[in-house]
Amino acid sequence: MGQIRLEQVTKSFGEVQVIQPLDLTLEDGEFTVFVGPSGCGKSTLLRLIAGLEDVSSGRILIDGKDATALVPAKRGLAMVFQSYALYPHMSVRRNIAFPLRMARMSRAEIDRRVEEAAEVLNLREYLDRRPGQLSGGQRQRVAIGRAIVREPAAFLFDEPLSNLDAALRVGMRMEISELHKKLGTTMIYVTHDQVEAMTMADRIVVLQGGIIEQVGSPLELYQRPCNQFVAGFIGSPRMNLIEGPEAAREGATTLGIRPEHLRLSRSEGPWEGTVGVSEHLGSDTFLHIHGIPGCDPFTVRASGEVDLRHGDAVFLTPDRARLHRFDAEGRRIE
Amino acid sequence: MATKASRSAARLMMAPAVVLLLGWMLVPLSMTVWFSFRKFLPLRGGDLGWAGWENYSRFVSSSSFWPAVSTTLIIVGSVLVVTVVLGVLLALLLDQPFWGRGIVRILVIAPFFVMPTVSALVWKNMFMDPTNGLLAYLWRLFGAEPLAWLSEASKESIVMIIAWRWLPFATLILLTAIQSLDNEQLEAAEMDGAGPLQRFGHIILPHLGRAITIVILIQTIFLLSIFAEIFVTTGGAFGTRTLTYLIFQRVLESQNVGLGSAGGVYAIILANIVALFLMRIVGRNLDA
Ligand SMILES: Nc1ncnc2c1ncn2[C@@H]1O[C@H](COP(=O)(O)OP(=O)(O)OP(=O)(O)O)[C@@H](O)[C@H]1O
Ligand SMILES: [Mg+2]
């Protein structure tokens, strides 16, 4: 069980209100990702849920019970920190066993659970090492191990992969997703990397400046961003946002079109420009096009084999069904 | 310093410093050893020739030797316990955010800047004096008979004076150690269900292990040779005669340089035994 409800929660540090009044319900078993630019309040929100910070106003309910005034240990949540926060003077075994020892569990039960967690996380051989003798990925797994032995109502992750290199990050991403499938426990995951958000989440919460911009499944956010900020934030490369007469013709202040929803041609199309830098990824090529009014540079995703050079003239045709229209306040126009 | 030329150049340039330091250390040491084998009574005939091991056996067989050794160990040990325990508590306190923390931190460090002679005199005359001292006043305030601190509780008084001076040192080192503790570790422990005492025992104290080791080692080195505090207060009476003080008395009060030098050699041996012992117990903390 692990349903978490926030009701009109706010948080201020001194004069500055970093979390605006906010309502959110995280369903039991759901993998929710908080995503947003740096400083938008993701960590603060997570720490409020964890109980490491006190809310300034509002209520937090865990499984329907008011947990606003409970100390962190009593909320039944486990957290994995960005710096791992392993205890450096304890062996991996003792690190993982720590929460169980604090709960005064029996020796046999502690050993059983630690072995089980070590099995799940491939930590068997490392149980007697100190954290200092492990690689970043292994440390991360120990931190996760320390969280899962408690069998918490929900897991909280604060940018757990940001200290790992790119290849390891992809691997750990899969491992965490698999863990979620296996345990079926509620997970809240904070990241500023929208690729992590898209690949892992059941539901994404996009935050900006302490305000929830949109909540939805990854595909919903991709296909129907409710405002210009979400449109620009979700999706890689970023959506092209066109202003000026081109947008006015569609009855909008800003017109959005994703780089993958454009057809490229050498001879015909409504928008004409010249090729600038092209990024060859092998499978795809990202072309930066200059000279299209209202948006410069304009990004287009083409196939890997596209044969265009710097300075070539090209024509673009948007997929009209996938144009996004936004009004003067940046809200989506249906 | 990779090439042969740079290595030999480095040796050449370091040579003066090494020679100076060696001379600095070796000359007094060998002179002590030399005098310890002579019958040397400056006021009663000067150097009276070879004495063999007589100084050594006389120094040990004197009735004041073993009490002096035990007094030394008791005083050093007590000061270490007091400064480390209070130092940890004070460091914990000073790490908390509170109004005026900057000023309080400076005030806490202040005693370390007071010269040992001065601090001992202040304690002796202002606090511990049985008729005019502040402590005597306090005692009388509660209707108790004032204590003649330096004669009735002499060792405790000396420990108090020395600990007062060294507490800031311990506090300062332990405070920097506490400040280097990653806050996320404490938060993780809090989420894991550890209460304040358990966080202290399982996270903070192990983290401080290395700093405590350093405090103990450095303080021991200095405390084994404390002198001024005893000279100024009790003059070695009332069971406060440490080994250092005994040597001082042999050389200057009895005017027996040979006997005092033999005592000096014993003091070196004692210091090394203590150091070895400490390294064994706490030195492990320095590896890891
Ligand atoms: N203890 C604090 N005191 C004062 N202000 C704080 C404190 N903690 C956070 N803030 C402010 O609150 C805002 C949100 O911080 P938060 O750490 O939640 O950002 P974040 O979304 O996690 O950013 P990042 O992606 O960089 O980790 C920031 O503007 C930050 O300066
Ligand atoms: Mg953060």
Side-chain angles (χ1 to χ4, degrees), chain B residues 67-81:
Chain B
V69 171
S70 80
T71 303
T72 310
L73 294 181
I74 289 173
I75 290 184
V76 171
S78 317
V79 173
L80 285 180
V81 171

Side-chain angles (χ1 to χ4, degrees), chain A residues 136-150:
Chain A
Q138 289 161 349
R139 282 181 215 184
Q140 190 57 68
R141 282 208 285 272
V142 176
I144 294 173
R146 194 173 60 186
I148 63 176
V149 285
R150 290 177 52 196

